[in-house]
Amino acid sequence: MNNQDDHNRQNHTGGCLCGSLRYEVKAPLKAVGACHCKQCRRWSGHYWASAECPIDKFRITRGEDLLSWYVSSGFARRGFCKSCGSALFWQADRHKTWKDHIAVSAGSLDEPTNLKAEKHIFCQFKGDYYDLADGLPQEMTET
């Protein structure tokens, strides 16, 4: 299998810290993006690194009763495990362009992910305690 095949893997699985909530994605995941907005930093404890997929290719395979959603803005919600608190999903479920996709926490994916970090977004809001020196593109996204 070459690197392109690895990146385009059709099946991915993942779960929360306690293992009670599990999910699967039956589609290639987009490359990992890192969001530095204030909400993502407060929610994840640093910045939010995630990979996106179509919502119709995503499903909870175990522990659906443990999944809780927090409505964090006028167009998006954040999913987490009620048992251990793991931050797992971000979905713009009320946004006309993005509602058909879900972002899964890169750290919650089972390895090997065969994914690579692609870019940083909302960089103007990054924390003052770290630098972005990995050479990836840095977007100053408008809110």
Side-chain angles (χ1 to χ4, degrees):
M1 195 182 305
N2 65 37
N3 287 343
Q4 187 64 30
D5 290 336
D6 286 347
H7 177 71
N8 291 325
R9 248 178 67 192
Q10 290 294 313
N11 295 305
H12 299 271
T13 57
C16 65
L17 178 62
C18 71
S20 297
L21 194 152
R22 299 284 302 159
Y23 66 89
E24 73 178 0
V25 175
K26 290 198 174 200
L29 289 168
K30 290 190 177 181
V32 174
C35 182
H36 298 269
C37 79
K38 186 79 165 190
Q39 283 190 4
C40 283
R41 288 190 302 111
R42 288 199 183 244
W43 184 48
S44 68
H46 191 37
Y47 57 81
W48 170 251
S50 63
E52 180 186 322
C53 71
I55 192 72
D56 64 348
K57 303 296 183 186
F58 165 88
R59 76 180 183 100
I60 302 296
T61 58
R62 183 173 72 219
E64 189 164 7
D65 60 318
L66 294 173
L67 176 59
S68 187
W69 291 97
Y70 171 71
V71 176
S72 57
S73 72
F75 64 87
R77 63 186 186 161
R78 297 166 187 270
F80 63 94
C81 174
K82 287 190 264 188
S83 179
C84 65
S86 292
L88 298 169
F89 314 117
W90 181 90
Q91 185 191 16
D93 62 324
R94 293 172 312 283
H95 190 281
K96 66 180 181 175
T97 303
W98 302 327
K99 68 180 178 186
D100 297 328
H101 290 82
I102 190 166
V104 300
S105 165
S108 72
L109 287 162
D110 295 330
E111 295 177 333
T113 66
N114 299 316
L115 297 172
K116 298 287 183 197
E118 176 182 65
K119 65 182 176 179
H120 296 275
I121 62 172
F122 291 103
C123 296
Q124 72 270 34
F125 302 111
K126 78 166 203 57
D128 62 359
Y129 61 91
Y130 63 94
D131 293 318
L132 299 177
D134 56 14
L136 294 175
Q138 298 179 21
E139 296 179 10
M140 304 293 180
T141 312
E142 291 187 30
T143 57

XYZ file of all heavy atoms in Angstrom, residues 33-113:
648
model
N -6.754 19.280 10.796
C -6.663 20.722 10.937
C -6.658 21.074 12.415
O -7.250 20.359 13.234
N -5.982 22.140 12.765
C -5.886 22.577 14.158
C -6.557 23.930 14.300
O -6.162 24.898 13.653
C -4.428 22.665 14.581
N -7.586 23.985 15.156
C -8.312 25.233 15.380
C -7.851 25.871 16.687
O -7.835 25.220 17.733
C -9.817 24.979 15.423
S -10.758 26.513 15.635
N -7.518 27.146 16.617
C -6.990 27.883 17.766
C -7.987 28.898 18.317
O -7.609 29.756 19.125
C -5.691 28.587 17.371
C -4.628 27.638 16.953
N -3.715 27.115 17.834
C -4.356 27.075 15.744
C -2.904 26.287 17.186
N -3.277 26.239 15.927
N -9.268 28.808 17.927
C -10.254 29.754 18.452
C -10.420 29.539 19.962
O -10.068 28.491 20.501
C -11.595 29.616 17.725
S -12.630 28.241 18.249
N -10.939 30.539 20.624
C -11.085 30.500 22.082
C -11.977 29.344 22.532
O -11.671 28.665 23.515
C -11.650 31.840 22.567
C -11.701 31.978 24.049
C -10.348 32.325 24.599
C -10.466 32.808 26.021
N -9.238 33.366 26.507
N -13.076 29.090 21.817
C -13.961 27.986 22.193
C -13.232 26.648 22.120
O -13.325 25.832 23.035
C -15.198 27.938 21.298
C -16.228 28.960 21.634
C -17.526 28.711 20.880
O -17.694 27.731 20.163
N -18.471 29.622 21.054
N -12.529 26.406 21.036
C -11.820 25.128 20.884
C -10.729 24.972 21.940
O -10.544 23.885 22.484
C -11.234 24.996 19.480
S -12.467 24.566 18.232
N -10.032 26.056 22.236
C -8.985 25.969 23.256
C -9.575 25.682 24.636
O -9.048 24.865 25.382
C -8.134 27.239 23.268
C -7.235 27.330 22.049
C -6.194 28.439 22.117
N -6.756 29.756 22.287
C -6.634 30.490 23.397
N -5.979 30.051 24.444
N -7.164 31.694 23.455
N -10.670 26.331 24.971
C -11.291 26.083 26.280
C -11.851 24.668 26.368
O -11.771 24.023 27.401
C -12.396 27.089 26.557
C -11.828 28.447 26.848
C -12.839 29.310 27.550
N -12.252 30.617 27.741
C -12.005 31.138 28.922
N -12.297 30.481 30.005
N -11.464 32.331 29.013
N -12.421 24.189 25.273
C -13.050 22.874 25.253
C -12.034 21.743 25.318
O -12.203 20.771 26.047
C -13.905 22.753 23.991
C -14.685 21.500 23.868
C -15.469 20.911 24.817
C -14.777 20.677 22.724
N -16.055 19.775 24.315
C -15.644 19.615 23.025
C -14.222 20.742 21.447
C -15.958 18.623 22.111
C -14.556 19.764 20.544
C -15.408 18.714 20.885
N -10.942 21.893 24.586
C -9.972 20.795 24.485
C -8.807 20.930 25.465
O -8.079 19.974 25.679
C -9.419 20.728 23.063
O -8.612 21.855 22.790
N -8.614 22.112 26.005
C -7.494 22.324 26.912
C -6.244 22.823 26.210
O -5.242 23.128 26.855
N -6.263 22.907 24.907
C -5.145 23.429 24.117
C -5.750 23.913 22.809
O -6.627 24.741 22.847
C -4.087 22.346 23.924
C -2.785 22.823 23.348
N -2.228 24.028 23.650
C -1.935 22.232 22.485
C -1.075 24.165 22.998
N -0.882 23.088 22.280
N -5.371 23.364 21.682
C -6.111 23.646 20.454
C -6.788 22.359 20.011
O -6.445 21.270 20.447
C -5.229 24.251 19.355
C -4.021 23.442 18.950
C -4.135 22.379 18.063
C -2.751 23.770 19.425
C -3.034 21.642 17.682
C -1.641 23.041 19.038
C -1.785 21.990 18.170
O -0.697 21.266 17.792
N -7.805 22.480 19.172
C -8.618 21.349 18.727
C -8.063 20.832 17.408
O -8.078 21.535 16.395
C -10.058 21.811 18.576
C -10.996 20.858 17.908
C -11.538 21.003 16.668
C -11.531 19.648 18.439
N -12.369 19.951 16.400
C -12.384 19.096 17.473
C -11.362 18.965 19.647
C -13.078 17.913 17.660
C -12.048 17.782 19.832
C -12.894 17.267 18.854
N -7.553 19.619 17.413
C -7.054 18.962 16.204
C -8.079 17.918 15.789
O -8.446 17.049 16.583
C -5.703 18.309 16.472
N -8.553 18.016 14.550
C -9.605 17.108 14.111
C -9.497 16.806 12.623
O -8.816 17.498 11.881
C -10.979 17.716 14.411
O -11.169 18.912 13.673
N -10.200 15.754 12.225
C -10.304 15.347 10.828
C -11.784 15.251 10.488
O -12.583 14.787 11.300
C -9.606 14.011 10.604
N -12.139 15.660 9.309
C -13.535 15.781 8.907
C -13.962 14.642 7.988
O -13.171 14.126 7.202
C -13.692 17.116 8.184
C -15.065 17.430 7.693
C -15.069 18.708 6.869
O -14.349 19.659 7.201
O -15.811 18.737 5.884
N -15.264 14.295 8.094
C -15.845 13.295 7.197
C -17.319 13.618 6.975
O -17.914 14.366 7.751
C -15.694 11.893 7.768
S -16.733 11.559 9.200
N -17.939 13.039 5.948
C -19.377 13.217 5.751
C -20.147 12.561 6.902
O -19.805 11.459 7.335
C -19.671 12.490 4.438
C -18.345 12.345 3.762
C -17.325 12.274 4.853
N -21.178 13.236 7.396
C -21.951 12.726 8.531
C -22.614 11.392 8.203
O -22.769 10.543 9.080
C -22.990 13.771 9.027
C -23.591 13.365 10.366
C -24.069 14.010 8.001
C -22.686 13.477 11.541
N -22.966 11.161 6.951
C -23.627 9.901 6.601
C -22.661 8.715 6.540
O -23.091 7.579 6.388
C -24.426 10.026 5.303
C -23.581 10.303 4.077
O -22.377 10.629 4.212
O -24.135 10.199 2.963
N -21.374 8.973 6.709
C -20.358 7.907 6.743
C -19.858 7.664 8.164
O -18.937 6.893 8.391
C -19.176 8.246 5.838
C -19.547 8.499 4.400
C -20.125 7.265 3.759
C -20.416 7.527 2.285
N -21.101 6.427 1.649
N -20.464 8.338 9.121
C -20.077 8.290 10.524
C -21.193 7.631 11.337
O -22.372 7.871 11.081
C -19.849 9.727 11.017
C -19.787 9.871 12.501
C -18.594 9.717 13.164
C -20.926 10.166 13.232
C -18.532 9.863 14.553
C -20.880 10.307 14.605
C -19.678 10.147 15.259
N -20.806 6.810 12.329
C -21.822 6.271 13.233
C -21.205 5.892 14.570
O -20.038 5.500 14.651
C -22.572 5.097 12.621
C -21.828 3.807 12.592
C -22.687 2.691 11.958
N -21.977 1.437 12.008
C -22.191 0.472 12.905
N -23.119 0.604 13.811
N -21.479 -0.632 12.890
N -22.007 6.006 15.613
C -21.616 5.552 16.939
C -21.842 4.046 16.962
O -22.914 3.568 16.597
C -22.462 6.238 18.041
C -22.325 7.761 17.959
C -22.079 5.712 19.420
C -20.945 8.292 18.221
N -20.842 3.286 17.377
C -20.972 1.822 17.399
C -21.206 1.273 18.802
O -21.659 0.144 18.946
C -19.713 1.156 16.801
O -18.560 1.575 17.536
C -19.571 1.510 15.329
N -20.888 2.062 19.821
C -21.113 1.632 21.202
C -21.210 2.861 22.103
O -20.470 3.817 21.925
C -19.956 0.741 21.671
C -20.172 0.195 23.087
C -19.129 -0.810 23.512
N -17.866 -0.140 23.762
C -16.670 -0.641 23.437
N -16.573 -1.794 22.829
N -15.566 0.023 23.722
N -22.124 2.813 23.052
C -22.220 3.875 24.050
C -22.938 5.123 23.592
O -22.702 6.199 24.133
N -23.845 4.988 22.636
C -24.552 6.169 22.140
C -25.271 6.923 23.268
O -25.378 8.148 23.234
C -25.538 5.791 21.042
C -26.129 6.989 20.345
C -26.795 6.644 19.021
O -26.919 5.459 18.680
O -27.174 7.601 18.330
N -25.717 6.204 24.277
C -26.378 6.845 25.415
C -25.421 7.706 26.231
O -25.848 8.540 27.031
C -27.048 5.803 26.313
C -26.064 4.780 26.876
O -25.173 4.321 26.123
O -26.193 4.427 28.054
N -24.119 7.531 26.037
C -23.116 8.336 26.746
C -22.707 9.588 25.981
O -21.969 10.423 26.501
C -21.876 7.492 27.043
C -22.112 6.353 28.024
C -20.873 5.476 28.131
C -22.511 6.896 29.384
N -23.157 9.703 24.736
C -22.823 10.877 23.932
C -23.723 12.033 24.319
O -24.952 11.910 24.331
C -22.980 10.571 22.441
C -22.744 11.739 21.478
C -21.336 12.308 21.631
C -23.008 11.289 20.048
N -23.115 13.149 24.670
C -23.854 14.359 24.983
C -23.371 15.470 24.062
O -22.190 15.510 23.701
C -23.622 14.752 26.443
O -24.461 15.825 26.793
N -24.278 16.337 23.681
C -23.947 17.455 22.799
C -24.100 18.767 23.555
O -25.092 18.978 24.260
C -24.853 17.462 21.580
C -24.602 16.327 20.639
C -25.289 15.149 20.584
C -23.592 16.262 19.636
N -24.763 14.347 19.590
C -23.719 15.006 18.994
C -22.590 17.130 19.205
C -22.895 14.605 17.953
C -21.768 16.733 18.171
C -21.923 15.485 17.553
N -23.130 19.639 23.382
C -23.185 20.990 23.929
C -23.309 21.952 22.749
O -22.451 21.955 21.853
C -21.925 21.295 24.738
C -21.825 22.734 25.150
C -22.676 23.252 26.121
C -20.904 23.590 24.554
C -22.602 24.588 26.495
C -20.823 24.923 24.925
C -21.681 25.412 25.887
O -21.615 26.732 26.252
N -24.373 22.749 22.722
C -24.559 23.740 21.668
C -23.657 24.925 22.003
O -23.891 25.647 22.976
C -26.036 24.167 21.548
C -26.189 25.262 20.508
C -26.904 22.962 21.205
N -22.597 25.092 21.207
C -21.570 26.082 21.539
C -21.675 27.385 20.756
O -20.967 28.338 21.059
C -20.186 25.471 21.335
O -20.035 25.016 20.012
N -22.520 27.411 19.743
C -22.703 28.640 18.968
C -24.043 28.560 18.252
O -24.771 27.574 18.388
C -21.566 28.807 17.955
O -21.703 27.870 16.899
N -24.334 29.572 17.455
C -25.581 29.608 16.714
C -25.658 28.592 15.589
O -26.730 28.370 15.035
N -24.526 27.968 15.259
C -24.545 27.003 14.162
C -23.848 25.685 14.469
O -23.908 24.757 13.660
C -23.943 27.614 12.887
C -22.489 27.976 13.003
C -21.495 27.054 12.739
C -22.127 29.259 13.366
C -20.157 27.389 12.845
C -20.781 29.606 13.462
C -19.803 28.667 13.208
N -23.187 25.545 15.618
C -22.400 24.336 15.866
C -22.637 23.758 17.254
O -23.083 24.447 18.180
C -20.912 24.625 15.689
N -22.303 22.491 17.367
C -22.384 21.772 18.634
C -21.135 20.919 18.798
O -20.439 20.621 17.829
C -23.646 20.902 18.688
C -23.675 19.798 17.639
C -25.000 19.077 17.640
N -24.970 17.925 16.731
C -25.814 16.930 16.786
N -26.775 16.913 17.701
N -25.734 15.929 15.937
N -20.861 20.528 20.039
C -19.679 19.747 20.369
C -20.109 18.508 21.138
O -20.876 18.598 22.085
C -18.718 20.589 21.209
C -18.208 21.798 20.439
C -17.539 22.814 21.354
N -17.211 24.019 20.627
C -16.062 24.231 19.989
N -15.115 23.313 19.998
N -15.846 25.353 19.352
N -19.617 17.344 20.705
C -19.996 16.084 21.315
C -18.924 15.565 22.249
O -17.728 15.628 21.933
N -19.347 15.037 23.398
C -18.397 14.513 24.376
C -18.997 13.318 25.096
O -20.211 13.111 25.102
C -17.978 15.598 25.367
C -19.114 16.122 26.206
C -19.378 15.590 27.467
C -19.932 17.135 25.734
C -20.421 16.065 28.237
C -20.983 17.617 26.504
C -21.228 17.082 27.761
N -18.137 12.528 25.735
C -18.569 11.374 26.510
C -19.007 11.843 27.893
O -18.240 12.505 28.600
C -17.429 10.354 26.637
S -17.823 8.961 27.730
N -20.217 11.486 28.281
C -20.741 11.861 29.603
C -20.012 11.141 30.728
O -19.993 11.618 31.855
C -22.232 11.522 29.708
C -23.126 12.427 28.934
C -24.580 12.187 29.290
C -25.229 11.261 28.313
N -26.689 11.136 28.508
N -19.406 10.019 30.436
C -18.732 9.242 31.473
C -17.351 9.798 31.808
O -17.048 10.069 32.959
C -18.622 7.783 31.036
O -17.966 7.019 32.016
N -16.501 9.982 30.801
C -15.126 10.414 31.069
C -14.838 11.854 30.654
O -13.788 12.395 30.989
C -14.133 9.473 30.392
S -14.196 9.488 28.589
N -15.752 12.476 29.908
C -15.575 13.873 29.515
C -14.765 14.092 28.254
O -14.508 15.234 27.883
N -14.357 13.035 27.563
C -13.555 13.197 26.349
C -14.270 14.060 25.312
O -15.427 13.812 24.976
C -13.255 11.839 25.711
O -12.392 11.086 26.512
N -13.566 15.071 24.804
C -14.054 15.906 23.717
C -13.842 15.125 22.417
O -12.710 14.801 22.072
C -13.283 17.224 23.686
N -14.929 14.813 21.715
C -14.846 13.891 20.586
C -15.229 14.472 19.228
O -14.587 14.164 18.229
C -15.731 12.668 20.856
C -15.345 11.828 22.058
C -16.456 10.823 22.371
C -14.027 11.120 21.804
N -16.305 15.283 19.176
C -16.845 15.683 17.883
C -17.212 17.163 17.856
O -17.617 17.735 18.864
C -18.118 14.879 17.559
C -17.986 13.409 17.813
C -18.774 12.785 18.759
C -17.071 12.645 17.117
C -18.667 11.426 19.018
C -16.940 11.284 17.360
C -17.745 10.676 18.307
N -17.093 17.738 16.682
C -17.576 19.091 16.415
C -18.412 18.998 15.157
O -17.972 18.420 14.155
C -16.404 20.053 16.200
C -16.812 21.481 15.945
C -17.007 22.450 16.891
C -17.066 22.090 14.683
N -17.364 23.630 16.289
C -17.408 23.430 14.925
C -17.049 21.642 13.368
C -17.725 24.323 13.909
C -17.366 22.525 12.347
C -17.699 23.856 12.627
N -19.624 19.534 15.211
C -20.497 19.491 14.050
C -21.237 20.805 13.901
O -21.887 21.280 14.838
C -21.517 18.350 14.160
C -22.356 18.225 12.910
C -23.542 17.301 13.058
O -23.942 16.946 14.154
N -24.116 16.913 11.934
N -21.156 21.388 12.718
C -21.900 22.600 12.392
C -23.265 22.184 11.866
O -23.586 22.362 10.695
C -21.131 23.435 11.378
N -24.071 21.615 12.738
C -25.345 21.005 12.347
C -26.394 22.011 11.880
O -27.389 21.632 11.277
C -25.901 20.155 13.492
C -26.196 20.946 14.748
O -25.436 21.892 15.057
O -27.180 20.617 15.419
N -26.185 23.305 12.137
C -27.125 24.325 11.700
C -26.493 25.298 10.713
O -26.963 26.417 10.547
C -27.675 25.063 12.931
C -28.538 24.145 13.794
C -28.959 24.764 15.116
N -27.907 25.399 15.891
C -26.993 24.760 16.619
N -26.983 23.450 16.668
N -26.070 25.413 17.290
N -25.457 24.883 10.036
C -24.774 25.708 9.041
C -25.056 25.126 7.661
O -24.838 23.943 7.432
C -23.266 25.715 9.320
C -22.526 26.715 8.518
N -22.196 26.508 7.206
C -22.031 27.933 8.851
C -21.535 27.556 6.751
N -21.423 28.437 7.733
N -25.536 25.952 6.743
C -25.984 25.426 5.444
C -24.871 24.751 4.650
O -25.123 23.782 3.941
C -26.641 26.521 4.607
C -25.719 27.629 4.175
C -26.454 28.660 3.344
C -25.483 29.750 2.908
N -26.112 30.691 2.009
N -23.645 25.183 4.778
C -22.542 24.595 4.012
C -21.936 23.391 4.707
O -21.572 22.418 4.049
C -21.436 25.655 3.773
O -22.025 26.775 3.114
C -20.313 25.086 2.936
N -21.810 23.409 6.021
C -21.058 22.381 6.743
C -21.919 21.350 7.459
O -21.400 20.420 8.075
C -20.139 23.030 7.770
C -19.171 24.009 7.200
C -18.568 23.963 5.972
C -18.691 25.187 7.823
N -17.759 25.037 5.804
C -17.808 25.814 6.931
C -18.927 25.776 9.057
C -17.157 26.988 7.236
C -18.273 26.956 9.361
C -17.395 27.549 8.456
N -23.231 21.479 7.428
C -24.100 20.613 8.241
C -23.992 19.130 7.904
O -24.344 18.287 8.718
C -25.546 21.069 8.157
C -26.175 20.862 6.798
C -27.605 21.339 6.788
C -28.180 21.167 5.392
N -29.494 21.719 5.283
N -23.533 18.793 6.738
C -23.444 17.394 6.319
C -22.105 16.751 6.649
O -21.793 15.671 6.147
C -23.717 17.276 4.820
C -25.132 17.712 4.464
O -26.032 17.523 5.314
O -25.340 18.238 3.364
N -21.299 17.404 7.481
C -19.984 16.893 7.871
C -19.836 16.904 9.387
O -20.543 17.630 10.081
C -18.869 17.728 7.228
C -18.794 17.525 5.760
N -19.615 18.186 4.873
C -18.022 16.713 5.024
C -19.335 17.791 3.654
N -18.378 16.901 3.709
N -18.913 16.112 9.872
C -18.597 16.085 11.297
C -17.077 16.021 11.422
O -16.405 15.395 10.594
C -19.276 14.904 12.023
C -19.132 15.045 13.546
C -18.772 13.569 11.497
C -20.049 14.126 14.326
N -16.545 16.690 12.415
C -15.111 16.644 12.697
C -14.902 15.759 13.914
O -15.566 15.928 14.931
C -14.578 18.054 12.966
N -14.013 14.793 13.778
C -13.698 13.893 14.891
C -12.339 14.272 15.454
O -11.420 14.637 14.721
C -13.735 12.403 14.475
C -15.110 12.024 13.959
C -12.684 12.079 13.444
N -12.219 14.196 16.757
C -10.964 14.518 17.417
C -9.846 13.618 16.897
O -9.973 12.391 16.910
C -11.130 14.314 18.925
O -9.883 14.281 19.567
N -8.769 14.209 16.439
C -7.647 13.424 15.925
C -7.083 12.507 17.005
O -6.697 11.368 16.729
C -6.562 14.350 15.380
N -7.077 12.974 18.235
C -6.549 12.182 19.333
C -7.426 11.012 19.737
O -6.964 10.095 20.405
N -8.685 11.017 19.312
C -9.587 9.921 19.658
C -9.556 8.780 18.642
O -10.141 7.723 18.877
C -11.029 10.441 19.794
O -11.583 10.775 18.527
N -8.877 8.987 17.534
C -8.803 7.957 16.483
C -7.858 6.837 16.885
O -6.800 7.079 17.482
C -8.319 8.571 15.171
C -9.320 9.457 14.447
C -8.613 10.333 13.428
C -10.400 8.612 13.793
N -8.239 5.620 16.541
C -7.346 4.477 16.735
C -6.209 4.575 15.723
O -6.416 4.975 14.573
C -8.105 3.161 16.525
C -9.194 2.946 17.562
O -9.045 3.426 18.700
O -10.210 2.289 17.225
N -5.035 4.200 16.169
C -3.863 4.243 15.290
C -3.635 2.893 14.637
O -4.062 1.878 15.178
C -2.642 4.666 16.106
C -2.783 6.074 16.605
C -1.621 6.522 17.474
O -0.975 5.665 18.113
O -1.377 7.729 17.518
N -3.022 2.860 13.491
C -2.463 4.013 12.793
C -3.548 4.788 12.050
O -4.433 4.197 11.438
C -1.485 3.388 11.806
C -2.056 2.037 11.513
C -2.758 1.604 12.776
N -3.488 6.117 12.120
C -4.467 6.944 11.416
C -4.041 7.183 9.975
O -4.883 7.404 9.123
C -4.637 8.319 12.088
O -3.425 9.061 11.959
C -5.050 8.172 13.541
